[in-house]
């Protein structure tokens, strides 16, 4: 074999060998490629599943955030307090008004919402507030209060001020569409030191991370190990928000993974300020009875009775300390525990450079400063807020009430509400003690309104006025008893050709057979028959038989019509028992009836809302409330004079114990069968009110109107300083002397002569013997002198 041949063979052999090796490599690597493909497939599938699950979580986040991102609620305000020289005001009332506004009592006011007192002199720095008729800038006031009124009012430079309004207290927040209350804050409302405190103890890298912070988790673990306790949290604010906002409270690895994924999604969809705002409004910070306190805005009022923006460093630090556990660190129940946690928050703020050492020491030296009672303003007036909600639906279009940022200005007088609530509770306790009734068994309701305008100034829904529940003032439908007699006598006096206050009516037995075959035989309260009595005397002493005979002579339809003209809106069937008050009404409805009487026959629908403004401070269109005359003013004047006689000489004369024997007030007692319900309705110069006392189970109380409701009315009106009644006679009213008993015209000084008002021309024509003689003789006149 030649060298060339040899050399040619070798490459061929090498080539063959190379092909064999290549074939072997391919056979060996095929399973690896399959595994790689499988892993890639699994990874792609995992990514698809993760992407799909992330889309699902993203949808949950979007639904939760867009569904629960809060619109600005409707804010409900009480009436503002008008200050001017001569305004009726006591130091006690002024202090109370400032207290519910959350003004801070200091030695020397130096900022907004602060005040001081030196004897009868007050210095007040007011807040700025935008009323329905314009903006009022913050003012520094100096005023003196003595003798029950404002005696001077100047600004800080001593310049006289005509009138100043203290801003109205916020008494509630309403979502009209969802019937939900919440006090919300916007990002710009969060004080810097509150945000800094949150960063210091909850999430110092909040503005740097993207929802989850591994460095923060590691740092928190190390800090807690060094401190020997929990001083920092590992979860970011975003994770905490997701946990509270979307997820449940169950602890599991799966929930923690969901929390982290959702936190990343939230950070990708929303800005830091939006997240911080949502967190500030959602975080749990304590418990108010059965109601959870969520959000710093609500917590500021609950713990300090002041808006969040007015809190000081040590106060916001306390709120942030509650993030760790609102119930565990409750400052009212566990003050030492709360103080320690608050000071730790301040220490962390100093450590991170948010505050200096001097500020930290000053803040740590401060007491907790929480109010004695954890009652939110809107929870002091649940009965009144129910009335507001109902009248919103009555007076405004539903589409307007869905707007954001409504301002609802109401008629509530916080001082009257406070005084009424306190005296209703005290009055019931006194009645139970004196009558040996089981403590806490009696219930009551009261409505106070202005006579002329029909503004509801106070509403007591039950014995515990600050507790929500059954609203007895609006919904307790109870027979009104003798309160209905006002309609009977007013119907008679509206026919001056037939009836006057001096007309004799029959107080005689009545026996009627009803359509169902029953017999109706009413009796007087004293079980006596009084014969023929003057009409005014029949009402003064609340004679049942005289009232029934009078009502039957008028016709039942005329009495029912008068009830409707006075303000009863529900259908009333013309049964004879209606004459004695077998008409179930709520105290609110009774107050409407007596408001019409107190206003001289001009019915003004009782209302709790003065004005509603939209987010642009423009008034909403409302259904008009018409004040119209429904009863003749002359007839109402006669009835009012008779109701004054009821208080002076009749069934309501017990009011003298509270208001004085010569005090002018008109009113009527009411008692139902078996002494189940006790009523009193009355009015003075500036207030009309109704009181009901009874039991929720409708069992007898043993109380008449004079022994149950009347004392409570007296207590409340004495405390409020009811003005005496001084009605002005309308044109066509004349006064004449009448002989009591016969109803004949008499003369001043004649025996038994009584001076009564009459519609001109309706006075008696027959003259008494004394009148025919020209009046009493000289000796009698000298005796009278």
């Amino acid at each position: 074999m030649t060298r060339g041949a040899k050399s040619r063979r070798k490459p061929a052999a090498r080539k063959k060998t190379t092909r064999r090796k290549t074939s072997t490599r391919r056979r060996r690597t095929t399973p690896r490629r399959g595994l790689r493909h499988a892993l890639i497939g699994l990874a792609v599938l995992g990514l698809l599943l993760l992407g799909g699950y992330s889309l699902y979580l993203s949808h949950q986040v979007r639904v939760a955030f867009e569904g629960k991102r809060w619109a600005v609620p409707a804010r409900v305000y009480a009436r503002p307090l008008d200050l001017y020289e001569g305004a009726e005001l006591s130091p006690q009332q002024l202090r109370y008004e400032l207290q519910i506004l959350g003004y801070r009592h200091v030695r020397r006011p130096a900022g907004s919402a602060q005040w001081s007192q030196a004897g009868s002199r007050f210095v007040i720095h007011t807040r700025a507030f935008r009323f329905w008729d314009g903006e009022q800038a913050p003012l520094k006031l100096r005023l003196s209060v003595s003798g029950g009124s404002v005696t001077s009012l100047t600004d800080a430079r001593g310049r006289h001020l005509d009138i100043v309004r203290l801003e109205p207290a916020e008494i509630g927040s309403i979502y009209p569409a969802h019937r939900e209350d919440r006090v919300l804050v916007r990002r710009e409302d969060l004080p810097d030191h509150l945000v800094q405190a949150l960063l210091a103890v909850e999430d110092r890298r909040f503005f740097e991370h993207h929802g989850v912070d591994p460095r923060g988790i590691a740092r928190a673990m190390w800090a807690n190990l060094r401190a020997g306790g929990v001083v920092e949290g590992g979860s970011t604010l975003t994770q905490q928000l997701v946990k509270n906002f979307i997820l449940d409270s169950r602890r599991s690895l799966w929930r923690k993974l969901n929390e982290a994924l959702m936190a990343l999604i939230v950070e990708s969809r929303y800005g830091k300020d939006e997240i911080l705002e949502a967190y500030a409004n959602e975080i749990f910070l304590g418990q108010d009875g059965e109601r959870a306190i969520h959000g710093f805005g609500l917590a500021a009022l609950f713990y300090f009775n002041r808006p969040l923006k007015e809190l000081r460093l040590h106060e916001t630090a306390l709120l942030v300390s509650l993030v760790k556990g609102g119930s565990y660190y409750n400052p009212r129940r566990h003050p030492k525990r709360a103080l320690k946690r608050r000071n730790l928050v301040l220490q962390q703020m100093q450590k991170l450079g948010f505050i200096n050492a001097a500020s930290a020491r000053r803040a740590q030296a401060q007491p907790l400063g929480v109010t004695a009672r954890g009652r939110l303003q809107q929870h002091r007036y649940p009965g009144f807020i129910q009335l507001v909600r109902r009248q919103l639906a009555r007076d405004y279009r539903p589409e307007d009430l869905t707007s954001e940022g409504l301002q609802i200005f109401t008629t509530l007088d916080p001082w009257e509400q406070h005084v009424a609530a306190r005296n209703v509770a005290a009055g019931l306790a006194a009645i139970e003690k004196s009558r040996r009734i089981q403590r806490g068994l009696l219930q009551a309701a009261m409505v106070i309104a202005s006579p002329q305008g029909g503004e509801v100034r106070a509403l007591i829904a039950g014995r515990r006025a600050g507790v929500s529940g059954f609203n007895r003032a609006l919904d307790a439908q109870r027979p009104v008893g003798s309160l209905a007699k006002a309609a009977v006598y007013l119907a008679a006096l509206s026919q001056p050709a037939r009836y006057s206050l001096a007309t004799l009516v029959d107080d005689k037995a009545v026996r009627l057979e009803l359509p169902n075959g029953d017999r109706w035989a009413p009796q007087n309260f004293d079980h006596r028959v009084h014969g023929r009595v003057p009409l005014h005397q029949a009402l003064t002493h609340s004679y049942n038989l005289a009232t029934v005979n009078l009502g039957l002579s008028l016709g039942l339809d005329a009495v029912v019509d008068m009830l409707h003209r006075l303000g009863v809106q529900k259908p009333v069937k013309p049964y004879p028992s209606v004459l004695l008050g077998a008409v179930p009404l709520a105290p609110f409805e009774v107050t409407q009836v007596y408001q019409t009487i107190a206003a001289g026959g001009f019915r003004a629908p009782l209302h709790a809302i003065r004005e509603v403004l939209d987010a642009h401070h423009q008034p909403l269109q409302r259904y008009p409330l018409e004040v119209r005359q429904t009863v003749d003013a002359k007839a109402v004047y006669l009835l009012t004079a008779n109701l004054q006689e009821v208080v002076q000489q009749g069934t309501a004369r017990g009011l003298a114990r509270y208001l004085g024997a010569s005090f002018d007030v008109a009113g009527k007692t009411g008692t139902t069968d078996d002494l189940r319900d006790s009523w009193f309705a009355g009015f003075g110069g500036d207030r009309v009110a109704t009181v009901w006392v009874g039991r929720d189970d409708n069992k007898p109380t043993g109380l008449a109107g004079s022994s149950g409701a009347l004392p409570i009315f007296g207590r409340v009106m004495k405390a409020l300083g009811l003005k005496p009644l001084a009605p002005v006679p309308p044109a066509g009213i004349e006064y004449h002397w009448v002989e009591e008993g016969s109803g004949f015209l008499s003369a001043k000084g004649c025996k038994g002569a009584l001076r009564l008002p009459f519609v001109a021309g309706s006075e008696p024509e027959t003259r008494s013997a004394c009148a025919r003689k020209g009046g009493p003789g000289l000796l009698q006149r000298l005796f009278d002198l």
Side-chain angles (χ1 to χ4, degrees), residues 332-458:
R332 294 190 180 95
R333 293 186 178 181
H334 311 292
K336 292 182 179 179
R337 191 183 294 169
L339 184 66
K340 183 178 179 181
R341 177 66 185 173
R342 184 206 68 179
N343 289 345
L344 180 60
V345 172
L346 292 167
Q347 179 183 329
Q348 288 296 107
M349 292 179 71
Q350 178 193 346
K351 180 180 178 182
L352 295 179
F354 291 127
I355 57 175
N356 57 37
S359 296
R361 283 196 302 271
R362 284 195 300 269
Q364 288 175 330
Q366 295 291 328
L368 291 175
V370 296
T371 56
R373 294 179 59 197
R375 300 300 305 171
L376 296 170
Q377 294 295 337
Q378 54 263 48
H379 287 302
R380 294 184 182 181
Y381 319 111
F384 186 85
I385 293 294
Q386 286 181 8
L387 175 62
V388 169
R389 283 175 163 155
R390 295 183 192 188
Q391 294 195 343
L392 281 172
R394 181 194 74 180
D395 299 336
Y396 293 87
R397 300 180 305 181
E399 57 268 28
D400 290 334
L401 298 177
T402 59
S403 303
E404 296 183 12
L406 296 181
Q407 287 182 293
I408 302 169
F409 295 94
T410 74
T411 61
L412 179 76
D413 186 313
W415 174 248
E416 291 200 22
Q417 178 76 21
H418 169 70
V419 170
R422 183 179 59 193
N423 281 279
V424 166
L428 289 178
I431 292 170
E432 288 170 342
K433 183 178 180 180
S434 64
R435 296 273 175 164
R436 297 184 178 180
I437 299 174
Q438 179 183 333
R439 185 178 178 182
L441 190 63
L442 296 178
Q443 271 293 352
M446 186 173 192
V447 179
I448 305 175
S450 61
Q452 302 302 324
E455 291 190 341
V456 179
R457 297 161 65 162

Side-chain angles (χ1 to χ4, degrees), residues 451-719:
Q452 302 302 324
E455 291 190 341
V456 179
R457 297 161 65 162
L459 186 148
I460 308 301
R463 183 174 189 141
R464 300 176 64 193
V467 177
S468 60
F470 181 57
N471 194 323
R472 296 165 187 84
L474 301 180
D475 300 324
Q477 299 284 326
R478 296 298 187 96
V480 298
S482 295
L483 295 188
K485 290 176 182 175
V488 179
Y489 287 83
L490 186 55
L493 295 170
S494 297
Q495 302 179 32
R498 294 180 62 191
Y499 297 101
S500 72
L501 292 175
T503 302
L504 297 179
V505 294
D506 290 322
D507 187 69
K508 63 181 181 180
V510 176
R511 291 180 179 82
L512 296 177
E513 186 170 338
L514 303 179
N516 62 0
D518 292 342
R519 286 184 178 274
W520 187 60
Q523 291 184 333
N524 284 325
F525 190 79
D526 60 4
H527 299 284
R528 296 170 55 191
V529 175
H530 303 93
R532 288 177 64 78
V533 295
L535 183 145
H536 72 91
Q537 194 179 97
L539 181 58
T540 297
H541 299 291
S542 200
Y543 292 155
N544 290 339
L545 296 179
T547 303
V548 171
N549 283 292
L550 177 61
L552 293 175
S553 67
L554 289 167
L556 295 175
D557 289 335
V559 175
V560 170
D561 177 65
M562 182 56 69
L563 284 170
H564 290 314
R565 288 160 64 187
L566 289 172
V568 176
Q569 297 185 353
K570 65 179 61 174
V572 177
K573 293 184 179 180
Y575 295 149
S577 57
V578 167
L579 302 172
L580 298 182
V583 183
L585 297 176
F588 185 83
E589 296 172 291
V590 173
T591 309
Q592 179 69 79
V593 169
Y594 278 80
Q595 177 278 323
T596 308
I597 299 170
F602 288 85
R603 188 177 72 206
L606 296 185
H607 59 283
I609 301 171
R610 286 184 174 179
E611 195 70 76
V612 177
L613 305 183
D614 63 18
H616 306 290
H617 300 281
Q618 297 300 311
L620 293 187
Q621 180 181 351
R622 70 183 300 178
Y623 305 123
L625 297 174
E626 295 183 359
V627 177
R628 60 192 184 95
Q629 186 171 6
T630 58
V631 188
D632 180 69
K634 296 185 291 295
V636 173
Y637 183 84
L638 300 181
L639 176 67
T640 299
N642 204 165
L643 293 175
Q644 288 176 276
E645 185 181 341
V646 170
V647 175
Q648 293 293 335
Q649 305 174 27
T651 58
R653 59 186 178 276
L655 272 183
R657 174 185 172 189
Y658 304 96
L659 302 178
S662 60
F663 191 89
D664 282 326
V665 61
K668 184 71 187 76
T669 55
T671 310
T672 59
D673 291 345
D674 300 323
L675 302 179
R676 296 176 187 274
D677 302 282
S678 171
W679 290 91
F680 185 81
F683 52 93
D686 58 343
R687 295 176 179 91
V688 56
T690 300
V691 177
W692 166 85
V693 173
R695 290 175 52 166
D696 284 341
D697 60 9
N698 200 30
K699 291 183 178 180
T701 63
L703 300 172
S706 59
S707 57
L710 182 144
I712 291 178
F713 178 94
R715 279 175 172 267
V716 173
M717 293 305 157
K718 179 182 179 181

